[in-house]
Amino acid sequence: MEDKLNETLPDIRHTILLHATAEKVWEAVATAEGLSAWFMPNDLKPVVGHEFHLQAGPFGQSPCKVTLVDPPNKLSFNWGKDWTLTFELVEKEGQIEFTLIHGGWTAAQVTEFGEPHDIVRDRMDQGWAGLVNKLSAYVGG
């Protein structure tokens, strides 16, 4: 019988096409200023191993650590105790296909705040849908 603790839930994935340059989208996702404009205030630096915090409003400062930097194609970082965020950029006919991947969901786990992953995942999925639209507006696209 499979251990429910190890049962993973699907990653959250949102893909949009942006009418912007790779450099503009990269600046929006891989700098503290850019990320703050559409996501949360932070002190990100696009350097592998850099530890930083997202200012998560009522949830306080959320610790993160950069795990992959491949400008202007991909940035990944660990978020909190469980999650990984990845931003992927692919040039397609003069536009940028942007994919946000939020992984690290396990059925029986709870967040630092005691909420079950399956409930938080659904809420975050809806939140990301709005946030990628904010990113689109920010980059003009």
Side-chain angles (χ1 to χ4, degrees), residues 89-103:
L89 290 69
V90 176
E91 196 156 350
K92 294 215 169 172
E93 298 174 13
Q95 300 176 79
I96 299 300
E97 181 181 80
F98 172 79
T99 301
L100 175 143
I101 304 162
H102 184 168

Side-chain angles (χ1 to χ4, degrees), residues 34-96:
L35 199 58
S36 295
W38 65 275
F39 183 36
M40 290 183 204
N42 65 87
D43 55 346
L44 166 72
K45 290 182 183 164
V47 176
V48 171
H50 176 69
E51 295 184 10
F52 67 102
H53 289 88
L54 293 171
Q55 308 301 322
F59 298 104
Q61 292 194 25
S62 196
C64 300
K65 184 175 183 178
V66 177
T67 56
L68 182 125
V69 179
D70 177 18
N73 307 303
K74 193 177 207 177
L75 175 81
S76 292
F77 58 87
N78 294 336
W79 179 15
K81 70 179 184 68
D82 301 321
W83 298 328
T84 300
L85 272 183
T86 301
F87 304 133
E88 294 180 345
L89 290 69
V90 176
E91 196 156 350
K92 294 215 169 172
E93 298 174 13
Q95 300 176 79
I96 299 300

Side-chain angles (χ1 to χ4, degrees), residues 16-31 33-35 37-39 89 94-98 131-141:
I16 58 171
L17 202 56
L18 299 171
H19 304 282
T21 64
E23 292 76 20
K24 188 166 189 176
V25 177
W26 181 255
E27 287 292 316
V29 301
T31 67
E33 182 181 355
L35 199 58
W38 65 275
F39 183 36
L89 290 69
Q95 300 176 79
I96 299 300
E97 181 181 80
F98 172 79
L131 285 166
V132 295
N133 287 332
K134 277 183 76 175
L135 169 64
S136 178
Y138 177 70
V139 299

